[in-house]
Amino acid sequence: MQRRHDLDWVRVCAFALLVLYHVGMYYVTWDWHVKSPAASDALEPFMLLSSPWRLSLLFLVSGTATAFLLGKAQRSAEAAGNRARFLGGRSWRLLLPLIFGMLVIVPPQAYYEVVEQLPGGYHDGYLAFYARYLTAYDGFCDADGCLDVPTWNHLWFVAYLWVYTVLVWLLWRLAPRALDAAGGLLARAMSGLGVLVWPVLFLGVARVLLVGRFEQTHALVDDWYNHAQYFGVFLFGFLIARADGVWQAIERLRWPALVAWLASWAALIAYFTRFADADPPEALRMAMRLGWALNQWCAIVAVLGFAHHWRPGDSRVLRYLVAAVFPVYILHQTVIVVVAHHLKPLAIPPLVEGPLLVAITFAACFGGYEVIRRVRWLRPLFGLRTTGYPTPDAPALASEPR
């Protein structure tokens, strides 16, 4: 198979949007690690443009990439006359950066969260904090509860991605015929309007039944609503990876999906504004949970449909960005937290400080990537191969260009 450059671009743009979103979290009223003194609800409607679907899109593209990776591993094993060694390689590429990130990259986020949010502040310095961080200290508490350390913060995505990869690998090893049958059934059901209808129903039912019962914790063991939606779209991406009819249907329905996405976004804004200080009727609450699912899936179809329609080709810029995505992702939230905290005493107006924070974050992360890719022992700590490059049929989520 040829490389899916459209999915490469989708992944690159989705992670760039993630950086912008996390900068925005500093300026809105929603809970986050550090907060701007000027935080308000002004940006929240724009944050809602992507918050229902951004991570679901990444998990779907990851599922598609996993299908390509698994197929590539199987073909290589058949050519060499041995068994496919897929899970070990994926575990190395995901778990090593996760562990390194929890020990080195993430602790500054937790430190500045404690400095800013602990009653009375925290004055013992970073080294004293880090010693407590490593020993799972449970005394960093405020009125909302205690901070769990060590933590993976934004790297929860990597942990979940590894777990979902293991689950799909087990299905592939233990029930390959059932997996193929499910893929065929899905391809037939989603070759037309079903590509909009069935996923919206699935995501809507999951939200109606689970979101009120299970808090979204990103803690893996108790995050059942997130598992339902994220593993659901991951498995969907895996099953439709080679289903050309589904991708053609996504392309055909890109305009209706775009209209439905924007209309449902406007409805969500109106709903949250109207009931900001009051409880909505229960029937309306359930209806808006379905509206959230409509927004979530139609945005994904619109993004994938336009990317598939435009079919962007290969380029040196794309190859560079594809390689940089994982290191930049690992670094970005720590850069945002640290820089935002140290910009705060300057009292820069938010309209100036926000773009400055975005520019510093991207510059620092890509500067870090330039160092990482040149240092052999650093590369695997950020998900890059020590040597070598993927072959031309590598999947859309390969960490490096061919």
Side-chain angles (χ1 to χ4, degrees), residues 248-307:
Q248 291 166 7
I250 288 173
E251 180 181 344
R252 288 196 305 271
L253 293 170
R254 65 191 185 278
W255 283 108
L258 177 63
V259 172
W261 165 33
L262 295 177
S264 58
W265 169 72
L268 288 171
I269 296 302
Y271 170 76
F272 288 128
T273 301
R274 169 63 180 83
F275 295 101
D277 300 312
D279 291 331
E282 190 61 19
L284 179 60
R285 188 198 304 272
M286 295 301 108
M288 293 313 298
R289 288 180 180 175
L290 292 174
W292 182 281
L294 178 69
N295 179 282
Q296 182 179 14
W297 184 249
C298 286
I300 291 173
V301 170
V303 170
L304 295 177
F306 280 102

Side-chain angles (χ1 to χ4, degrees), residues 164-179:
Y164 298 164
T165 300
V166 171
L167 291 175
V168 165
W169 178 81
L170 288 173
L171 289 172
W172 177 73
R173 289 299 304 272
L174 301 177
R177 292 183 179 178
L179 201 61

Side-chain angles (χ1 to χ4, degrees), residues 10-324:
V10 166
R11 178 175 179 257
V12 167
C13 292
F15 274 108
L17 181 61
L18 184 65
V19 175
L20 298 177
Y21 187 88
H22 283 156
V23 171
M25 287 296 292
Y26 181 59
Y27 294 100
V28 296
T29 61
W30 306 336
D31 185 45
W32 205 56
H33 309 289
V34 294
K35 300 303 296 183
S36 168
S40 71
D41 58 3
L43 278 179
E44 290 171 10
F46 301 99
M47 300 283 278
L48 278 170
L49 265 173
S50 66
S51 57
W53 56 267
R54 185 189 65 257
L55 290 166
S56 298
L57 173 64
L58 285 172
F59 276 113
L60 186 145
V61 175
S62 299
T64 302
T66 300
F68 291 139
L69 279 169
L70 199 52
K72 179 175 177 249
Q74 186 176 25
R75 291 193 301 273
S76 299
E78 290 171 353
N82 53 33
R83 294 174 62 183
R85 297 180 179 180
F86 167 78
L87 193 58
R90 290 305 289 160
S91 297
W92 176 259
R93 297 286 292 277
L94 294 174
L95 293 184
L96 181 61
L98 176 62
I99 294 169
F100 173 75
M102 292 177 65
L103 294 177
V104 178
I105 305 298
V106 168
Q109 300 177 32
Y111 171 69
Y112 286 110
E113 180 176 352
V114 168
V115 167
E116 292 201 5
Q117 299 188 19
L118 198 68
Y122 181 79
H123 308 287
D124 290 346
Y126 183 74
L127 292 180
F129 167 83
Y130 189 64
R132 295 184 175 112
Y133 177 93
L134 293 178
T135 55
Y137 178 67
D138 60 359
F140 298 127
C141 302
D142 59 16
D144 296 325
C146 298
L147 180 66
D148 293 325
V149 293
T151 179
W152 49 44
N153 279 5
H154 69 294
L155 299 182
W156 69 268
F157 175 84
V158 181
Y160 281 44
L161 181 56
W162 179 78
V163 170
Y164 298 164
T165 300
V166 171
L167 291 175
V168 165
W169 178 81
L170 288 173
L171 289 172
W172 177 73
R173 289 299 304 272
L174 301 177
R177 292 183 179 178
L179 201 61
D180 288 342
L185 179 63
L186 196 63
R188 291 190 294 273
M190 314 260 300
S191 59
L193 192 59
V195 80
L196 288 179
V197 173
W198 298 117
V200 168
L201 286 177
F202 170 79
L203 293 168
V205 169
R207 190 165 182 85
V208 167
L209 295 181
L210 299 177
V211 74
R213 300 181 182 182
F214 300 101
E215 184 180 356
Q216 298 180 61
T217 65
H218 300 151
L220 187 64
V221 295
D222 58 355
D223 205 14
W224 296 112
Y225 168 63
N226 276 339
H227 287 316
Q229 60 171 337
Y230 293 147
F231 182 63
V233 296
F234 179 89
L235 184 59
F236 175 76
F238 182 89
L239 293 174
I240 68 164
R242 297 176 179 84
D244 291 340
V246 176
W247 291 103
Q248 291 166 7
I250 288 173
E251 180 181 344
R252 288 196 305 271
L253 293 170
R254 65 191 185 278
W255 283 108
L258 177 63
V259 172
W261 165 33
L262 295 177
S264 58
W265 169 72
L268 288 171
I269 296 302
Y271 170 76
F272 288 128
T273 301
R274 169 63 180 83
F275 295 101
D277 300 312
D279 291 331
E282 190 61 19
L284 179 60
R285 188 198 304 272
M286 295 301 108
M288 293 313 298
R289 288 180 180 175
L290 292 174
W292 182 281
L294 178 69
N295 179 282
Q296 182 179 14
W297 184 249
C298 286
I300 291 173
V301 170
V303 170
L304 295 177
F306 280 102
H308 193 265
H309 178 73
W310 291 329
R311 291 180 177 84
D314 194 11
S315 69
R316 181 171 296 181
V317 171
L318 178 60
R319 294 196 295 271
Y320 177 84
L321 292 174
V322 167

